[in-house]
Amino acid sequence: MTANPVHNSIDYTEITVTDLGAAKEFYGSVFAWKFTDYGDAYVGFTCPGRISESGGFLLNEEPRPAGGPFVLLYTDDLDATAAAISVAGGQVTQGPYDFPGGRRLHFADPSGNELGAWSVPSL
């Protein structure tokens, strides 16, 4: 996640892959991405020009059921965002839950597209 996230912005993209080594080789050689390993099932990536991670590869037996990357938005207030999602006709599908960088939720928009939102915990 970025060092100075901006409220309501696209902040992080998570790509489910079946082979972390192959993903690192492909994106590193094609796009010059740099990588940080986080255990056996997750690798963060940083794109050129970014000072913090742009996204990550999540290891799974198959790609996301709907396919494609998982886009994460940043919000200053995750609980308010969860409420706004429901009011606007979306559905929170997972969370909010804690993770090492803060709090996160997954949601479906009115068309069924799944995205996520995250926030830094209040101090």
Side-chain angles (χ1 to χ4, degrees), residues 9-34:
S9 67
I10 294 175
D11 184 62
Y12 195 82
T13 302
E14 204 165 74
I15 303 171
T16 302
V17 299
T18 57
D19 184 326
L20 289 173
K24 289 165 60 174
E25 176 64 27
F26 175 80
Y27 287 97
S29 66
V30 174
F31 299 108
W33 292 2
K34 303 296 181 203

Side-chain angles (χ1 to χ4, degrees), residues 72-75 78 81 103-107 115-119:
L72 283 162
L73 309 173
Y74 180 79
T75 177
L78 193 64
T81 297
R103 293 179 65 228
R104 173 170 155 166
L105 62 78
H106 296 196
F107 67 94
L115 292 89
W118 78 282
S119 67

Side-chain angles (χ1 to χ4, degrees), residues 1 11-17 23-24 27-28 31-38 42-48 50-58 69-70:
M1 313 303 176
D11 184 62
Y12 195 82
T13 302
E14 204 165 74
I15 303 171
T16 302
V17 299
K24 289 165 60 174
Y27 287 97
F31 299 108
W33 292 2
K34 303 296 181 203
F35 306 98
T36 304
D37 295 323
Y38 294 103
Y42 202 86
V43 173
F45 59 79
T46 305
C47 299
R50 293 267 312 233
I51 58 171
S52 61
E53 287 182 352
S54 308
F57 297 127
L58 174 65
F70 185 66

